[in-house]
Amino acid sequence: MNTETINYSVQQKIPVNIQAEVIVIGGGPGGIGAAVAAARNGADTLLIERYGYLGGMASAGEVFPFMSNHLNGRTLDKPVYADWVNAMRKYSPGNDGGRDEEVETSRGCYSKDEAMLAAEDICLEAGVRLVYHHNLFDAVVKNGKIEAVVLFSKSGLSAAKAEIFIDCSGDADLAFKAGCEYEYGNDEALCQPMTLCFKVAGVDADRLPDRAEINRLYDEAKAQGEIQCLRENVLWFVTPQKDIIHFNTTRVIRKSAVDGLELSEAEIEARKQLRQYLEFFREHVSGYENIRIHSIAHHIGVRESRRVAGIDYIGMEAFEQAKKYPDGIAKVRYPIDIHNPGGSGTVIRKLADDEWYEIPYGCIVARDVSNLLIGGRPISVDHALHSSMRVMPSACSVGQAAGTAAAMAIETHSIPAQLDGAKVRARLREMGAVL
């Protein structure tokens, strides 16, 4: 490793050009939930996003479809997530995403662009102020409290101040810069693999082999060195368009999503695998002879990175015992879904059909910084449980709880750790949450 250094200082006065009561960092599913909930609860809310659009993994990552987090065919993620999905419909006439007006069946099949536009719609309708093309650069922390965040944009460095901050960056970037303790990956410090999603068009759907045959051909191609991918099978999904197939099947291991150079290497490795998959399908799989690229994610899909230490912590036992809590702020019944951090294989464990577990409020309250909440996936849970709660519907609901708590802290002139989690749960129920 190159250890050469240079002298560099950012000691300078930075203009504060953004102020709000609540600032949300990151506009993915967690950030959408947080910002909309905070604004609906009366807080002056501003969402800062590094890209020029919202959606996170649903848009930039082209993650598809939205995984199921349902009980008896009914969603456990209301109101913000359901509102987001319902808002997607107007951009896709004739496509109900497999769901009725209350988002009540298994999976939502919407495009990344529909997800992006709908996210912006519901944020603006709630009164959220949006700031695009601003990257989190640093945090100014005094006496265990974030005074401001430092942002980097085309204008250079600027600062933003708020009473409460919500980290919805996906990778706990704000918590990290603010000095919060965190966990990373499994016991070997390995995170779940990253995956670049993509779609192909021109598929002759009437001539496709079954999944078993495709996987047999895939195994042969791997044995011949035609595909260098450690995934154990081909993971693909049909779409509302008969000739378009979505692939969630590349696998990049032992790369960190919070190391800039390794993240760059992961993108290159994933696109190498994509090219190999294209050639494999065209040459070996009937119905795919004339396929063309329909779309490719603009950012490799990240399943796991940092998990911030909260004032509460739960692990695999919460799943195994289907634990419920008086201050539960989200219900989850998506399976344990651990893609092997070190190679091939995927661990799947399901709950009983009539069961779920809950995430207690303390898991979203940062332990080490007084005015910081965590929305989305990097909350205070262990590696195994994280594999269940990380999917987009529950990430949105976790964000929704963080936004609601932020607004309640503003109302009561308190910090998040001083709130009664049971009262946060009650407020969420008043909003229409399934709790």
Side-chain angles (χ1 to χ4, degrees), residues 56-384:
M57 286 293 103
S59 52
E62 196 159 350
V63 175
F64 173 99
F66 286 43
M67 291 291 102
S68 170
N69 186 41
H70 287 64
L71 179 68
N72 298 323
R74 300 184 70 83
T75 183
L76 295 177
D77 299 291
K78 288 184 178 181
V80 178
Y81 172 74
D83 292 345
W84 181 24
V85 173
N86 282 327
M88 297 180 201
R89 288 201 180 90
K90 67 181 179 182
Y91 298 109
S92 186
N95 171 25
D96 68 355
R99 304 181 179 211
D100 67 16
E101 287 302 311
E102 292 196 352
V103 199
E104 302 300 359
T105 64
S106 59
R107 289 172 174 161
C109 297
Y110 295 93
S111 76
K112 61 182 180 183
D113 300 313
E114 291 158 359
M116 170 191 71
L117 291 170
E120 189 173 85
D121 286 342
I122 65 169
C123 282
L124 293 176
E125 287 167 5
V128 177
R129 291 187 283 147
L130 301 174
V131 175
Y132 292 128
H133 296 298
H134 279 64
N135 291 270
L136 178 67
F137 182 77
D138 205 353
V140 179
V141 180
K142 291 185 179 179
N143 300 317
K145 177 182 179 181
I146 299 174
E147 285 202 343
V149 291
V150 180
L151 308 171
F152 178 74
S153 72
K154 291 288 188 178
S155 306
L157 296 179
S158 62
K161 284 189 164 186
E163 294 178 50
I164 303 292
F165 291 87
I166 309 177
D167 186 341
C168 297
S169 63
D171 296 315
D173 291 330
L174 176 55
F176 171 73
K177 291 179 184 296
C180 291
E181 185 177 340
Y182 63 91
E183 293 183 348
Y184 178 88
N186 62 12
D187 292 340
E188 300 176 79
L190 294 176
C191 289
Q192 289 201 60
M194 289 183 268
T195 292
L196 182 72
C197 291
F198 64 96
K199 291 181 177 67
V200 299
V203 177
D204 185 348
D206 295 326
R207 298 178 50 245
L208 299 184
D210 61 21
R211 290 182 184 268
E213 175 61 10
I214 289 176
N215 287 330
R216 185 189 68 79
L217 295 169
Y218 170 66
D219 288 340
E220 288 182 356
K222 286 201 298 181
Q224 294 296 320
E226 296 176 28
I227 297 179
Q228 285 86 48
C229 177
L230 289 171
R231 184 175 171 85
E232 64 276 11
N233 55 22
V234 180
L235 181 60
W236 55 274
F237 299 93
V238 297
T239 75
Q241 294 76 39
K242 188 177 180 181
D243 72 324
I244 296 175
I245 298 291
H246 175 89
F247 288 92
N248 183 352
T249 201
T250 60
R251 174 167 290 192
V252 179
I253 66 167
R254 298 179 183 272
K255 300 290 184 184
S256 170
V258 294
D259 180 300
L261 292 178
E262 289 191 9
L263 186 59
S264 175
E265 292 166 358
E267 297 276 12
I268 294 168
E269 182 177 335
R271 284 193 280 271
K272 176 182 176 181
Q273 293 180 19
L274 181 153
R275 294 181 182 95
Q276 293 171 346
Y277 273 109
L278 286 175
E279 187 171 349
F280 159 71
F281 272 94
R282 285 169 175 159
E283 292 189 5
H284 298 294
V285 185
S286 63
Y288 283 88
E289 295 90 346
N290 299 309
I291 58 170
R292 61 188 183 278
I293 296 169
H294 176 74
S295 58
I296 301 172
H298 296 164
H299 191 297
I300 194 168
V302 179
R303 292 184 173 90
E304 181 186 18
S305 56
R306 305 182 185 106
R307 303 186 306 278
V308 180
I311 61 174
D312 202 348
Y313 180 89
I314 58 173
M316 184 63 177
E317 74 283 351
F319 182 93
E320 293 171 335
Q321 298 171 26
K323 284 191 173 182
K324 318 297 191 293
Y325 301 90
D327 63 346
I329 49 83
K331 289 182 176 180
V332 185
R333 57 168 283 103
Y334 186 75
I336 295 294
D337 181 14
I338 304 174
H339 298 239
N340 186 353
S344 183
T346 303
V347 174
I348 302 287
R349 292 185 60 180
K350 296 182 179 181
L351 286 162
D353 289 344
D354 60 348
E355 276 294 2
W356 70 91
Y357 67 90
E358 294 180 351
I359 297 171
Y361 172 64
C363 290
I364 69 171
V365 180
R367 186 192 65 196
D368 302 325
V369 175
S370 64
N371 62 338
L372 178 63
L373 288 152
I374 311 298
R377 60 180 168 84
I379 64 171
S380 188
V381 298
D382 73 3
H383 168 74

